[in-house]
Amino acid sequence: MANTIAIKNATILTMTEESWIERGYVVIEGNRIRAVGQGDFQPGQPVGREIDAAGKVLLPGLVNTHGHAAMVLLRGYADDLPLMEWLETKCWPIEDRMTADDVYWGAQLAILEMLKSGTTCFTDMYYFMDEVARAAADSGIRAVLSRGMVGFPPKDEILLQESREFVKKWHGAANGRITTLLGPHAPYTCPPDYLKKVISLSEELDQPLQIHLSETAGEVERCMAEHGCTPIQLMEKLGLFERPTLAAHCVHVTDEDIEIMARRGVHVAHNPDSNLKLGSGIAPVVKMLAKGITVGLGTDGAASNNNLDMFEEMRQAAMIHKGAGLDPVAVPAYKALQMATNGGAKAVFLEDTLGTIQPGALADLILVDFDRPYYYPRHNVISHLVYAGQSGDVTDVIIDGQVVVENGRVLTLDEERIYREVERVCKRLFA
């Protein structure tokens, strides 16, 4: 069968339980997993392609739950600054000059980086989102996209309409690989009356929301001064949490905030590297997990990271909470890997089985070359991936049943052209 792929002789992390198959096989039919087994692959019927994964680990693709893809164009431009100074004096002036073409090539560069490092799905909030969606559709990656909204004149109403049009055009596009959210930026850029309009639009379009919340202490202090409550409490009062919500960062949240988030089913995108680099702090993820909150991992934009490496986010998430809480078991390796795979997929409102390897699940998979010195001795495959794994070890990527990266080469993008176009774009932007 031409649309069937069999991967054999792999060590398989199914992410349905904290164990692995030492040597097994996975059969993909169309865009879904048909079979998973241990031992030799015995085809009961012809397959279109066999991949020998001896010496490699097969696991679900990584899900990046928060980012601004085209901000790769600002990578290294404005480092070592506080968040608001970084945004207001460096990022926003350059972004005001960006064109649709700039955003398209920035998104292409970001997707290239993500595919080569094992990310099979990313979430984005930005502008010129038609271009980001087009780049995602062309590349074969899975994407959860929103047009970022700022609720001040003269563009506040225009952005609501652009978001409505974007959802109607792109939700479910590219064989379902592209889904959409609504993206009000943050409480300090979207006043309460504007957020109420966004909530109404979410109800009208039946779309979830993503928003930055409680990223810095200064943001919380400002919200307390203006509204007499924290950003989380303000969203509760406005009714935003009556809609499915993905909240990015949530660094400075109180125990009461966490209770609200747990009660309302708010999902969290945890961005450990970005929060550390910007000096924002460490989100109390251990408390969130203890309350049953769905937490995924994200890189944020490459301007504040400075890469889109989800292996690094996994390791950081597993390490910083141990150190911050003086607790060596705070976030175990399996939990960090789960937040980067199935937990991430759930956080961005995708199918419950995405990010696992089991019959019926969407076939978003990656192969990691385990023939590296830091993967020996083979005591624990999961620990090795989280604590020692490197994104450069990813050799092959399959998304929606299609081979997108083969032996480290991205099949769907022109890598050299992307580099040339990005240099051209940046020569003008930063002249």
Side-chain angles (χ1 to χ4, degrees), residues 382-404:
I382 296 169
S383 290
H384 283 346
L385 280 169
V386 173
Y387 294 122
Q390 298 182 20
S391 58
D393 300 335
V394 174
T395 61
D396 300 84
V397 176
I398 296 171
I399 302 174
D400 211 39
Q402 301 296 314
V403 178
V404 179

Side-chain angles (χ1 to χ4, degrees), residues 65-66 181 208-213 232 240-241 243-250 258 260-271 288 292-297 342-350 352:
T65 64
H66 182 67
L181 307 173
L209 301 151
Q210 65 168 326
I211 185 171
H212 300 80
L213 289 177
I232 299 294
L240 187 118
F241 293 154
R243 303 298 305 152
T245 302
L246 171 64
H249 302 297
C250 299
I258 293 173
I260 292 170
M261 294 159 67
R263 185 173 70 251
R264 288 297 192 177
V266 176
H267 298 176
V268 173
H270 178 36
N271 304 270
M288 296 178 193
I293 293 173
T294 298
V295 180
L297 294 179
N342 182 241
K346 290 178 178 177
V348 298
F349 309 105
L350 296 177
D352 279 352

Side-chain angles (χ1 to χ4, degrees), residues 326-338:
L326 304 180
D327 180 2
V329 298
V331 177
Y334 183 73
K335 173 51 70 174
L337 185 58
Q338 194 269 338

Side-chain angles (χ1 to χ4, degrees), residues 147-186:
R147 203 296 180 205
M149 289 183 272
V150 174
F152 300 120
K155 295 196 68 176
D156 48 347
E157 296 297 328
I158 294 171
L159 296 183
L160 286 169
Q161 184 57 30
E162 285 185 6
S163 295
R164 177 184 285 104
E165 292 169 358
F166 179 76
V167 167
K168 290 182 176 180
K169 179 177 180 180
W170 287 103
H171 186 61
N175 195 40
R177 281 191 291 108
I178 296 175
T179 55
T180 58
L181 307 173
L182 295 179
H185 176 258

Side-chain angles (χ1 to χ4, degrees), residues 24 39 49 69 92 97 100 120 136 145 148 152 203 211 256 265 269 289 308 322 341 353 356 367 386 390 395:
R49 179 178 181 181
W92 288 345
R97 300 170 61 183
T120 55
L145 307 178
F152 300 120
E203 293 170 345
I211 185 171
E256 182 183 348
L289 294 172
L308 304 176
K322 292 174 170 61
T341 52
T353 57
T356 67
L367 282 169
V386 173
Q390 298 182 20
T395 61

Side-chain angles (χ1 to χ4, degrees), residues 70-308:
M71 288 188 82
V72 291
L73 298 175
L74 287 86
R75 177 169 23 217
Y77 163 66
D79 288 336
D80 305 324
L81 293 172
L83 173 64
M84 293 314 297
E85 180 182 352
W86 173 75
L87 281 173
E88 292 173 355
T89 69
K90 297 293 184 178
C91 294
W92 288 345
I94 294 296
E95 289 176 331
D96 282 344
R97 300 170 61 183
M98 286 186 186
T99 66
D101 182 65
D102 298 338
V103 169
Y104 176 76
W105 289 109
Q108 287 259 310
L109 178 62
I111 292 169
L112 176 69
E113 180 179 350
M114 287 189 280
L115 288 176
K116 289 172 78 75
S117 58
T119 293
T120 55
C121 176
F122 76 104
T123 312
D124 206 50
M125 177 198 289
Y126 216 56
Y127 50 99
F128 294 120
M129 285 305 295
D130 282 330
E131 301 306 311
V132 180
R134 187 162 64 90
D138 293 345
S139 70
I141 200 168
R142 194 175 301 280
V144 183
L145 307 178
S146 64
R147 203 296 180 205
M149 289 183 272
V150 174
F152 300 120
K155 295 196 68 176
D156 48 347
E157 296 297 328
I158 294 171
L159 296 183
L160 286 169
Q161 184 57 30
E162 285 185 6
S163 295
R164 177 184 285 104
E165 292 169 358
F166 179 76
V167 167
K168 290 182 176 180
K169 179 177 180 180
W170 287 103
H171 186 61
N175 195 40
R177 281 191 291 108
I178 296 175
T179 55
T180 58
L181 307 173
L182 295 179
H185 176 258
Y188 57 86
T189 54
C190 294
D193 286 347
Y194 190 73
L195 285 172
K196 289 178 182 178
K197 294 180 181 180
V198 176
I199 294 166
S200 295
L201 184 60
S202 170
E203 293 170 345
E204 173 194 330
L205 300 175
D206 192 23
Q207 289 290 293
L209 301 151
Q210 65 168 326
I211 185 171
H212 300 80
L213 289 177
S214 300
E215 184 174 358
T216 66
E219 175 194 338
V220 176
E221 291 166 4
R222 176 177 171 179
C223 191
M224 291 292 295
E226 293 180 357
H227 304 289
C229 59
T230 70
I232 299 294
Q233 292 160 13
L234 179 61
M235 297 305 102
E236 165 79 344
K237 289 179 180 179
L238 293 175
L240 187 118
F241 293 154
E242 293 179 13
R243 303 298 305 152
T245 302
L246 171 64
H249 302 297
C250 299
V251 177
H252 296 275
V253 290
T254 66
D255 289 347
E256 182 183 348
D257 289 339
I258 293 173
E259 291 287 350
I260 292 170
M261 294 159 67
R263 185 173 70 251
R264 288 297 192 177
V266 176
H267 298 176
V268 173
H270 178 36
N271 304 270
D273 267 8
S274 177
N275 294 154
L276 289 177
K277 181 169 183 278
L278 291 172
S280 299
I282 300 172
V285 163
V286 176
K287 287 185 177 181
M288 296 178 193
L289 294 172
K291 291 293 184 180
I293 293 173
T294 298
V295 180
L297 294 179
T299 59
D300 209 352
S304 64
N305 193 305
N306 287 14
N307 60 42
L308 304 176

